[in-house]
Amino acid sequence: EPEPTPTPTPTPTAAAVPAKSKSPAPADPAIDPNAPPPTPIKKTKPTYRAFPGQEPGKCAYCKAAAHRLQTSFYAAHRAHHDDDHEELEKGREQKKKIPDDTLAMTMKGACDDEDYWSHYAAFNIETGGVVLAGPGLDWAVSDHHESTRVAGSHAKDLKSTCVAVAADAEKKDHFYETFWAKHLAGYARKWYFQEKFCDVACAAPHDEL
């Protein structure tokens, strides 16, 4: 009697792994004219705040005056050295003074230019307070909308403050002392005349209003 043929053992096969479905790439509006428009990015409007010393008053007036005196004093030295920055800095390091008449030509009218002072203006801040804006100050006139301008001129106060600061600085020879000390650690700020001449006027702590 013939032997029965053994039934072959089936070879196990690996389970089928379903293929991962890929998310369709977002439509490119530049390629697909039917693609939805991109979601606009919302821009947060900056919040402006006024701080003590920025309002029209002795601190802001002094800073504006010191800025005017520093730029005028520097301009006199620049003119004396024919716009040669290296020569100007060499003279500063060697503590050399320029001729009095050369200095006077630039400095004499620095405080008396009423047209210059008329460009300063006060503005209301939406979170409260009023600030003075203009050259050398924390605020520029272009920072504000014209509708927030506060009526009134500060030219007279700015001019008188400039005259007073200049007279005190000349009496103590602080113009040259401060100009020569510009590179010292105590005068690291760009507007170093403000540090020297306005420390008393701006002595109040700058806490948020």
Side-chain angles (χ1 to χ4, degrees):
E1 180 176 355
E3 294 183 3
T5 304
T7 305
T9 305
T11 304
T13 57
V17 178
K20 293 183 179 179
S21 60
K22 295 183 179 181
S23 300
D28 186 346
I31 300 174
D32 183 359
N34 298 319
T39 304
I41 299 174
K42 293 183 179 180
K43 294 184 179 180
T44 304
K45 183 180 178 181
T47 301
Y48 295 118
R49 298 186 184 279
F51 292 85
Q54 295 178 340
E55 73 281 358
K58 60 182 182 179
C59 179
Y61 293 155
C62 183
K63 283 187 173 183
H67 171 268
R68 176 65 166 169
L69 293 169
Q70 180 181 327
T71 54
S72 299
F73 194 81
Y74 188 86
H77 284 258
R78 194 178 63 230
H80 176 70
H81 293 288
D82 297 323
D83 281 334
D84 189 325
H85 181 73
E86 290 186 5
E87 286 298 314
L88 187 154
E89 290 301 321
K90 187 185 298 181
R92 190 208 300 265
E93 292 172 6
Q94 296 174 355
K95 297 186 176 182
K96 289 183 178 180
K97 293 185 177 183
I98 63 176
D100 290 342
D101 57 343
T102 302
L103 184 62
M105 285 178 62
T106 305
M107 298 294 290
K108 185 177 180 180
C111 293
D112 298 330
D113 188 350
E114 294 188 6
D115 181 64
Y116 174 83
W117 298 120
S118 69
H119 290 87
Y120 286 80
F123 295 88
N124 285 308
I125 300 299
E126 61 182 4
T127 53
V130 178
V131 298
L132 186 67
L137 299 181
D138 297 329
W139 298 88
V141 172
S142 59
D143 291 333
H144 307 274
H145 193 277
E146 188 62 26
S147 63
T148 64
R149 182 187 288 261
V150 178
S153 171
H154 301 274
K156 183 178 179 181
D157 292 322
L158 288 163
K159 177 181 175 180
S160 62
T161 300
C162 184
V163 170
V165 171
D168 186 60
E170 287 174 350
K171 182 172 61 179
K172 300 174 182 177
D173 206 20
H174 279 173
F175 280 141
Y176 273 107
E177 174 188 309
T178 310
F179 181 68
W180 291 334
K182 184 253 183 182
H183 293 298
L184 299 180
Y187 300 103
R189 282 168 40 123
K190 179 180 180 180
W191 303 121
Y192 47 91
F193 270 32
Q194 292 179 349
E195 286 192 356
K196 181 67 176 180
F197 303 144
C198 302
D199 57 338
V200 175
C202 300
H206 283 209
D207 294 326
E208 188 176 302
L209 288 176

